Amino acid sequence: MNTENIKRREIKKLWTVTEQKISNIHTASPILAPGNWVDYDPFLLLMEDKFQKGVFSEHPHRGIETLTFIIDGRLNHYDNATGAGGILEKGDLQFMTAGRGVIHNESPLDGETVHLLQLWVNLPRQYKMVKPRYQNMHAKDMPVREENGALIRVYSGSSGDIVSNTLNYASVTFVEMILEKGASVIQDLPGTYNGYIYVLEGSGTFGENQVEAKKGQAMWLGSADAENMSSMHVSANENLRLVLFAGEPIKEPVVAYGPFVMNTEEEIRQAYRDYQEGKFETPAD
């Protein structure tokens, strides 16, 4: 990669994620809280959940894409759009395009606790009502970048010369990094992208301003030159595992209510009418 004109990004904000007990079989940690539509664009929310079977039931979505990343455990999933399901395990990702409407369910296997991240990504107006699409990605099949004690699994977008074949309506980079103590790596990103990091295990030093962060902490990336590429530097103070998300801002109005995210209040009302009238009930053509 040509390093000329590449801005080295700083960490703009660091915060510690707080776990909330919802019930005896469910805890939830809001990493990106909903409502910050302009600041987080194109991201809507990111939740970290630990739960057992029975917490979630069938529910609909419209107007978004969800990325469900399994940190630990085994998750059984089903949706009405494809009429099929499957099992996701540690390191697997389900990339769901809800589009014009799906009904799906996610449930741990009997007796298991699943630990996962779920990210909601906004869909641009022109793609809000596309046909639903599922991309079930298994860790063992993902393209991997390896160098000097670092392994980067590329679920969407690219890292160095490694490029995923994931299909995106909204441009999103999602990588998992696993670094040995003392290792360091540079992740390249378009200068226009918003992005953030969440530390799953260990601790490290991040960005041009060398911010230290540890397990359970999140960091928002500083801005860059929109005309050029940028880079984020990561070093491991101890064995380190993290996820990095970054994406192109959409810069459109956001109206969110429950599981539906559209551009206007009327579109939200129509989504509820369609759901109540059973228009989500059959596989999309």
Side-chain angles (χ1 to χ4, degrees):
M1 181 175 64
N2 185 358
T3 59
E4 186 177 356
N5 297 326
I6 291 180
K7 178 176 179 178
R8 298 178 179 179
R9 293 207 190 201
E10 296 186 344
I11 296 301
K12 180 180 179 181
K13 179 183 177 183
L14 167 72
W15 68 99
T16 299
V17 176
T18 302
E19 185 175 81
Q20 303 172 1
K21 183 176 181 179
I22 308 301
S23 71
N24 289 333
I25 58 172
H26 182 205
T27 63
S29 307
I31 300 169
L32 296 184
N36 300 288
W37 315 130
V38 174
D39 291 342
Y40 293 163
D41 190 12
F43 306 115
L44 298 163
L45 65 86
L46 176 65
M47 294 295 298
E48 179 178 13
D49 290 281
K50 299 175 185 176
F51 62 103
Q52 298 175 16
K53 188 174 183 179
V55 168
F56 297 111
S57 59
E58 286 191 346
H59 56 280
H61 288 291
R62 173 178 281 183
I64 63 173
E65 293 186 302
T66 64
L67 280 67
T68 303
F69 177 69
I70 310 301
I71 298 172
D72 204 6
R74 294 182 295 169
L75 185 75
N76 192 17
H77 64 91
Y78 170 85
D79 70 272
N80 74 312
T82 64
I87 295 176
L88 299 172
E89 302 185 16
K90 181 178 180 179
D92 292 348
L93 175 75
Q94 183 187 81
F95 198 130
M96 181 188 79
T97 303
R100 64 193 185 211
V102 297
I103 300 172
H104 75 149
N105 192 20
E106 302 141 324
S107 180
L109 274 62
D110 289 343
E112 293 198 20
T113 297
V114 166
H115 182 192
L116 60 72
L117 299 176
Q118 186 169 92
L119 173 69
W120 289 18
V121 181
N122 197 15
L123 277 171
R125 185 193 304 269
Q126 68 188 100
Y127 299 123
K128 289 269 185 201
M129 297 294 284
V130 296
K131 178 181 177 180
R133 179 174 68 194
Y134 280 78
Q135 299 173 82
N136 291 316
M137 307 175 186
H138 300 285
K140 62 182 177 61
D141 300 325
M142 292 297 97
V144 170
R145 171 187 169 197
E146 293 186 81
E147 57 181 59
N148 301 323
L151 182 151
I152 304 174
R153 192 169 283 114
V154 185
Y155 293 89
S156 181
S158 64
S159 184
D161 295 330
I162 304 301
V163 181
S164 80
N165 61 2
T166 303
L167 302 175
N168 299 91
Y169 286 109
S171 297
V172 171
T173 292
F174 168 37
V175 299
E176 176 191 23
M177 296 185 180
I178 301 172
L179 280 70
E180 297 174 2
K181 180 179 179 180
S184 63
V185 72
I186 295 175
Q187 171 67 36
D188 51 296
L189 295 169
T192 53
Y193 276 22
N194 284 328
Y196 61 97
I197 292 169
Y198 184 54
V199 182
L200 299 174
E201 298 173 12
S203 64
T205 303
F206 302 86
E208 184 69 3
N209 51 342
Q210 298 188 331
V211 171
E212 294 190 356
K214 60 184 179 181
K215 177 180 178 179
Q217 292 186 313
M219 291 160 281
W220 191 259
L221 309 187
S223 61
D225 180 358
E227 300 300 320
N228 296 293
M229 290 295 290
S230 68
S231 64
M232 171 54 55
H233 187 271
V234 176
S235 297
N237 299 340
E238 55 184 320
N239 289 347
L240 176 67
R241 182 186 180 200
L242 63 88
V243 288
L244 180 150
F245 297 92
E248 184 75 43
I250 295 171
K251 299 180 182 178
E252 293 179 351
V254 174
V255 179
Y257 197 86
F260 306 137
V261 182
M262 304 300 288
N263 297 112
T264 68
E265 295 281 357
E266 176 52 35
E267 289 171 342
I268 292 290
R269 288 190 287 269
Q270 185 63 53
Y272 273 94
R273 285 194 294 267
D274 289 348
Y275 175 59
Q276 291 162 358
E277 292 171 6
K279 296 181 180 179
F280 286 26
E281 294 293 341
T282 57
D285 296 326

